[in-house]
Structure formats: C-alpha cells, structure tokens
Amino acid sequence: MNIFIALILAIITLAAGEKIDDVSLIQQLPEVHGDKFYYFGFGSNMLAKRIHVQNPTAVIMGPALLKDYRVDFATPSWFWKGAVSTIVPDPSSETWGTLWEIDLSNLPDIDNQEQVHDGWYRPETVQVEYNNEKIPARLYVIVDEPEGNVHDMPPNEVPEDRQPSKTYLKVMVKGAIESGIPEHYVKWLKGFKHNNKTAEELEDRFELQSVEL
C-alpha cells in the first residue's frame, strides 16, 4: 500500500471512529480498488448535482441494476420536507440506480450523509449489473425496515411520514433520466405518492422546474 492510500484510509478510519489497525479491512472491501470505490445510488444520489454537494470526486459510470431489492420511503427529513428513499431486501423486486466511482477520501462524507454513525443506515457490498458485468458496489440499507410496500398502497392509505416531497421525487426522477436509467423505471418512480410540498431553494439549486411527475 502506498503512502497516499494509507493516509486516506487513516483519515477515513479516524472519521468513522475506528482504529487505525482497521485500515487494511477497508482496503479489502470488494468495492474498493486502489484509492477509489464503487457506490450504487438509488435515491437523490442518482443526480450529479446532488451527489457532488458532499462527494465532489464522484464520477458517473452509468445506469446499473440491483436485483432482490426494492426502493421505498421512510425517515422524514426536514431538509427535504418529506420522507427520503431507502432500499429494502425483496426477492421479488429489482432496483435501477446510478453507479459512481468515488475517491476513498470521500467515503466518510457519504457515510455521514447516510447517517451511518447515527444508526439509521448500514453499508453493504452488493453486486450490481453494469454493462453486462457484475460490479461490487457500496450500498446503504436502512436499519429499521419500513412495514409494507408503500408503492403498492392505495394513495389515500400512504402514511404522511412515508410520502416524499415533490422536490425529492423530482430529484430522483431527474437523476434517473440523467443517468440513462430505462424509461419504464422512471415511470415507476413517478408513481410514488408524494406530499405535494416543495423546497424552493432546492428546486432552484438542482434546477428542477422543468421536471414533470
């Protein structure tokens, strides 16, 4: 391991509250290659402008497919004015998302964004299908899985704390289109019940005015 990589990993482990002795464990993660790692974004991090807020080194690889998981919504967010997306193991489902290559220096940043240290999400390594190949990628899965599939609920029965804001859903849709995710999946995303709330500052920041749901 060269000095540059060792320094990056030391910073990561310190930010995560781990011992320096665990540096080698991070380097051994399947999604890590050299001083970079692969990350699978299925929610707001499908959009380049969004992921670059906290992970400026992220470089898009393209659309990728993850089998045996489904997208859902839970965990209300004041920032987004509604529930944010999560991903739940489900053998009958599959999820499209964006595959990114990110510098290891940003790994603590994405861990913090996903509130790993608060116990909201946990990182996992999954195999995603990208360009007819299996690629190991980092995925963040919610610790307390929501009950029931919110997409299959009648609109009038979707709990308010399981509804994303209009702004958040537009970010997901724009990110999916931008990443080249299949049209049928974009249409499926648009079918989620939202709470009709907008965050004007974020609408401007992520240029969402033309996004249709």
Side-chain angles (χ1 to χ4, degrees):
M1 184 188 304
N2 65 42
I3 295 175
F4 177 68
I5 294 175
L7 179 60
I8 290 174
L9 293 176
I11 293 171
I12 290 169
T13 52
L14 285 172
E18 300 172 358
K19 297 179 180 179
I20 295 299
D21 293 343
D22 295 334
V23 166
S24 62
L25 297 180
I26 295 175
Q27 186 66 31
Q28 292 171 24
L29 290 171
E31 64 266 32
V32 173
H33 51 287
D35 60 352
K36 301 181 185 298
F37 69 98
Y38 290 121
Y39 162 69
F40 179 77
F42 59 85
S44 64
N45 275 345
M46 290 188 286
L47 183 66
K49 277 185 175 290
R50 168 63 182 117
I51 194 171
H52 286 154
V53 171
Q54 290 162 282
N55 304 276
T57 64
V59 175
I60 189 169
M61 302 291 291
L65 180 65
L66 175 63
K67 293 184 176 179
D68 300 325
Y69 286 84
R70 77 166 191 274
V71 166
D72 209 309
F73 288 89
T75 315
S77 164
W78 65 266
F79 179 79
W80 289 104
K81 296 189 176 182
V84 295
S85 63
T86 187
I87 198 164
V88 180
D90 184 343
S92 64
S93 300
E94 57 185 30
T95 297
W96 281 94
T98 309
L99 183 65
W100 300 93
E101 186 179 59
I102 306 175
D103 286 2
L104 273 176
S105 61
N106 279 143
L107 195 148
D109 300 312
I110 201 162
D111 273 1
N112 289 334
Q113 179 185 334
E114 300 296 340
Q115 297 179 284
V116 171
H117 310 308
D118 294 328
W120 287 102
Y121 288 80
R122 66 178 185 274
E124 292 185 0
T125 301
V126 293
Q127 297 289 326
V128 300
E129 296 181 10
Y130 169 73
N131 282 350
N132 298 317
E133 294 184 26
K134 293 280 190 178
I135 302 290
R138 193 170 182 84
L139 175 74
Y140 293 89
V141 180
I142 196 166
V143 173
D144 295 323
E145 295 179 11
E147 295 184 5
N149 186 341
V150 72
H151 196 280
D152 291 343
M153 296 177 185
N156 62 341
E157 294 182 14
V158 177
E160 187 170 353
D161 63 359
R162 298 278 298 277
Q163 297 177 28
S165 68
K166 191 173 184 179
T167 297
Y168 188 88
L169 197 57
K170 286 166 73 173
V171 166
M172 289 183 67
V173 168
K174 182 176 180 178
I177 294 171
E178 177 183 272
S179 302
I181 287 170
E183 185 177 348
H184 72 84
Y185 189 80
V186 175
K187 182 178 180 181
W188 181 80
L189 286 177
K190 292 180 178 181
F192 277 101
K193 166 74 173 176
H194 62 77
N195 63 17
N196 208 37
K197 294 180 181 179
T198 58
E200 294 301 329
E201 180 181 348
L202 300 179
E203 293 269 331
D204 293 338
R205 183 174 192 176
F206 299 129
E207 300 175 351
L208 303 176
Q209 290 80 0
S210 63
V211 180
E212 297 182 359
L213 298 180

